[in-house]
Amino acid sequence: MQKVLLLTTIGLLFFGMSISAQKVNTDSLSLVSKISADQLKLGKLQNQVEQKTKNKQDASEQAQKSANENSKAADKLSDKPENKKLARKANNKAAEVKSDSRNARRESDRLDNLNKDIQNLKKRIADNQAKLNKYIQNDKANPVTPDTTQH
């Protein structure tokens, strides 16, 4: 009778430990999965940085070029203020400057948002890595090993 009671107690204890280990294992696997997915996203975003930076520089250069052309057109118009053709050219150049500067601001915002997303992902990865490290340290401190002794 004592043998049956002892075996039942050991069985329940082992069953409880394995359920606890599965919970920790499931949680840590979930964190590993999140970290892996976030690292993949991070890699994709970091690959876009160079192109977004180039787009920003190109847009800024185009805006500067348009501004210079607008300045030249305005100078020509100031020499002959009654010339309709020069007035139309200056007006068109001003519209180009407006459009190009808007495009440059958009490209700058896109790069800023991309860098912000990268920083947020890095922070999330670090937070999840810290959580995972807690699980790993807890597992090392309290290892769950099956009872393999034979009676």
Side-chain angles (χ1 to χ4, degrees):
M1 186 67 170
Q2 284 182 333
K3 201 174 197 182
V4 171
L5 184 61
L6 182 63
L7 288 175
T8 303
T9 306
I10 291 174
L12 287 174
L13 182 63
F14 178 71
F15 180 72
M17 288 174 53
S18 66
I19 288 176
S20 173
Q22 287 175 354
K23 169 87 170 105
V24 169
N25 194 23
T26 303
D27 290 345
S28 62
L29 287 177
S30 172
L31 283 173
V32 169
S33 174
K34 287 178 184 177
I35 290 170
S36 178
D38 286 346
Q39 286 176 335
L40 183 63
K41 287 179 190 175
L42 180 63
K44 288 180 181 178
L45 291 179
Q46 287 176 332
N47 286 338
Q48 295 176 7
V49 169
E50 185 177 337
Q51 183 61 43
K52 296 275 185 188
T53 302
K54 184 179 182 316
N55 290 350
K56 177 185 173 183
Q57 289 172 345
D58 291 347
S60 295
E61 289 171 5
Q62 182 60 40
Q64 185 61 49
K65 180 181 172 187
S66 295
N68 291 342
E69 289 174 2
N70 182 45
S71 177
K72 289 177 187 176
D75 287 343
K76 287 181 182 178
L77 180 61
S78 69
D79 292 341
K80 298 179 185 178
E82 68 284 341
N83 191 328
K84 286 186 179 182
K85 186 176 178 181
L86 291 177
R88 193 175 326 110
K89 277 188 173 185
N91 188 33
N92 289 342
K93 293 295 180 184
E96 285 179 25
V97 169
K98 183 179 177 183
S99 174
D100 289 343
S101 63
R102 183 184 317 122
N103 187 32
R105 285 190 306 274
R106 283 185 187 151
E107 291 299 332
S108 180
D109 289 344
R110 287 178 182 144
L111 181 61
D112 291 344
N113 289 338
L114 179 63
N115 286 326
K116 188 173 88 173
D117 291 345
I118 287 172
Q119 292 306 315
N120 288 340
L121 263 177
K122 285 181 178 180
K123 183 180 182 308
R124 191 164 68 200
I125 289 170
D127 291 346
N128 285 337
Q129 188 68 44
K131 289 178 189 175
L132 182 61
N133 287 341
K134 287 180 185 177
Y135 280 119
I136 292 170
Q137 289 172 353
N138 285 342
D139 283 350
K140 287 180 181 177
N142 301 319
V144 178
T145 57
D147 186 15
T148 56
T149 58
Q150 294 183 357
H151 298 282

